[in-house]
Amino acid sequence: MERVFSKVRNLDAYPKINEDFYSRTLSGGVITLVSSIAMFLLFFSELGLYLHTVTETKLVVDTSRGEKLHINFDITFPAVSCTLLSLDAMDISGEQHLDIRHDIIKKRIDSSGNVIEVRQEGIGGPQIDKPLQRHGGRLEHNETYCGSCFGAEATDDECCNSCEEVREAYRRKGWGLTNPDLIDQCKREGFAQKIKDEEGEGCNIYGSLEVNKVAGNFHFIKSFHQSSIHIPDLMAFQEDSYNISHKINKLSFGEYYPGIVNPLDGVHWFQETPNGMYQYFIKVVPTIYTNIRGYKIQSNQFSVTEHYKGPEIGRRSLPGVFFFYDLSPIKVTFTETHASFLHFMTNVCAIVGGIFTVAGIVDSFIYHGHKALRKKMEIGKLG
């Protein structure tokens, strides 16, 4: 056993020197103090880098199919009333959604931007209990009411029991509601008076859309864009208020993830000439963000260009704000990572060993230089 210990002792790469042969100097103490401080600073710097997450970015081909695109928006129109503001969406597959109301909220605002009323869309107008007509005829005894759609019925059994339902039927047909006072439901609900009462107001509309993940567009337009309204109050509103000035408080395609930048947030555009169309052309880039815990967020980035289309001579532009979006075939993946523990320990050892070695070289240079200088001085004295 003693022989084994002796062999192991001979392998010692760090031979010990008797303390009687040590020579401590002031320069060695200063170098030791400075190198220790440097070791601590570099160690904590490396520790911070180890604890800090780094985001790796990759580009891959987007092979996903059959997914939906989630659009979040919050837009303020200071010169269009909520009753006349409509949201439509359509895509290249031919799917259309007219006057969308699901998951949409409108806030009536005055000229100073103060909220007058919050209106939850998707809730129809007041129902008519005792109307005069049922598809052109009078109700029989105990007969259930079914309001006429005034020629816009998709089937013979379709009913329009409120002004909103009549307007919806007209929009599906692509017709304009020429005179609300001729529509029994609208007349009873005071629709024309409602528009008159909201004249001079603005609207803040916000909510979300879920559309097919294909190229398409959604747009905010005035409800009577296809009509020629003949009653004086509505005619004045129709002709004088094609002001599509707007402020985009928020627009995003998908969920929020750390570091995302939505270039249209806070954009404000003021219309100077009437009867125009403002267009945003958006390129949507699918994005997957994976945090350090492995949780994935499916979202999208986008870039945008803008164009204002003014009125053409002899033609009347469709007033509104249009968002045309297209999908990029490339998907971006962001993955949060940090250095491995072994990498951290390797760097720490490199810091300690490197500083120790450099400090030893500097100390040796100073010590031997000082020793040689003293020897020359002693020789000079003897001479």
Side-chain angles (χ1 to χ4, degrees), residues 23 31-32 110 175 200 216 246 266 279 283 365 371:
S23 177
I31 291 173
T32 300
D110 60 21
W175 299 349
H246 59 278
Q279 301 168 320
K283 176 66 73 172
F365 176 77
K371 188 176 180 181

Side-chain angles (χ1 to χ4, degrees), residues 197-229:
D197 292 342
E198 293 184 7
E199 187 172 356
E201 294 182 1
C203 187
N204 171 227
I205 180 171
Y206 62 94
S208 61
L209 293 173
E210 192 172 77
V211 297
N212 296 324
K213 196 175 179 180
V214 295
N217 75 84
F218 62 98
H219 46 266
F220 300 87
I221 57 176
K222 297 182 67 172
S223 297
F224 291 105
H225 67 278
Q226 291 175 313
S227 65
S228 55
I229 304 174

Side-chain angles (χ1 to χ4, degrees), residues 102-355:
H102 184 64
D103 293 332
I104 303 297
I105 295 176
K106 292 180 179 179
K107 289 182 180 179
R108 292 173 56 196
I109 58 176
D110 60 21
S111 57
S112 301
N114 301 316
V115 177
I116 300 173
E117 177 192 13
V118 178
R119 184 180 301 171
Q120 174 70 52
E121 293 297 293
I123 301 176
Q127 302 297 308
I128 303 173
D129 295 327
K130 296 180 179 180
L132 299 178
Q133 53 192 2
R134 181 188 188 279
H135 286 298
R138 294 183 177 274
L139 289 174
E140 301 297 336
H141 182 65
N142 293 331
E143 189 174 10
T144 303
Y145 169 64
C146 179
S148 172
C149 295
F150 299 89
E153 300 90 352
T155 63
D156 292 339
D157 296 329
E158 184 178 359
C159 303
C160 295
N161 295 342
S162 69
C163 185
E164 292 295 334
E165 292 179 4
V166 175
R167 293 173 62 199
E168 173 102 12
Y170 268 57
R171 289 181 62 83
R172 288 198 303 266
K173 289 283 189 178
W175 299 349
L177 193 61
T178 57
N179 193 340
D181 274 353
L182 297 181
I183 307 298
D184 186 64
Q185 293 90 323
C186 295
K187 184 177 180 180
R188 287 173 177 268
E189 295 174 16
F191 185 73
Q193 184 62 38
K194 184 178 180 182
I195 294 177
K196 183 180 178 181
D197 292 342
E198 293 184 7
E199 187 172 356
E201 294 182 1
C203 187
N204 171 227
I205 180 171
Y206 62 94
S208 61
L209 293 173
E210 192 172 77
V211 297
N212 296 324
K213 196 175 179 180
V214 295
N217 75 84
F218 62 98
H219 46 266
F220 300 87
I221 57 176
K222 297 182 67 172
S223 297
F224 291 105
H225 67 278
Q226 291 175 313
S227 65
S228 55
I229 304 174
H230 300 299
I231 56 179
D233 293 331
L234 293 182
M235 177 65 78
F237 194 96
Q238 167 99 350
E239 295 296 334
D240 298 337
S241 300
Y242 277 162
N243 188 339
I244 56 171
S245 299
H246 59 278
K247 180 181 180 182
I248 302 176
N249 305 305
K250 174 186 175 184
L251 180 66
S252 63
F253 292 78
E255 297 183 49
Y256 169 83
Y257 64 84
I260 189 173
V261 176
N262 296 316
L264 286 179
D265 287 2
V267 170
H268 190 189
W269 182 78
F270 178 76
Q271 180 179 3
E272 296 180 354
T273 57
N275 301 336
M277 176 194 303
Y278 205 79
Q279 301 168 320
Y280 294 93
F281 298 92
I282 297 172
K283 176 66 73 172
V284 180
V285 182
T287 304
I288 298 179
Y289 189 92
T290 306
N291 65 14
I292 197 68
R293 299 179 182 84
Y295 176 73
K296 289 187 176 182
I297 300 175
Q298 300 274 355
S299 188
N300 301 277
Q301 305 175 78
F302 68 91
S303 61
V304 61
T305 56
E306 306 172 22
H307 175 68
Y308 173 67
K309 183 179 180 182
E312 301 177 10
I313 299 176
R315 295 185 60 185
R316 194 169 187 178
S317 300
L318 179 64
V321 180
F322 288 71
F323 296 85
F324 298 91
Y325 56 87
D326 194 8
L327 279 299
S328 170
I330 301 299
K331 178 186 293 184
V332 180
T333 62
F334 295 112
T335 306
E336 285 187 348
T337 60
H338 61 68
S340 66
F341 181 73
L342 289 178
H343 181 76
F344 168 70
M345 290 303 301
T346 301
N347 287 349
V348 170
C349 291
I351 289 171
V352 174
I355 292 181

Side-chain angles (χ1 to χ4, degrees), residues 35-49 343-359:
S35 60
S36 298
I37 294 174
M39 283 183 190
F40 275 106
L41 291 177
L42 293 177
F43 169 78
F44 284 110
S45 174
E46 189 63 33
L47 180 63
L49 292 175
H343 181 76
F344 168 70
M345 290 303 301
T346 301
N347 287 349
V348 170
C349 291
I351 289 171
V352 174
I355 292 181
F356 186 84
T357 302
V358 172

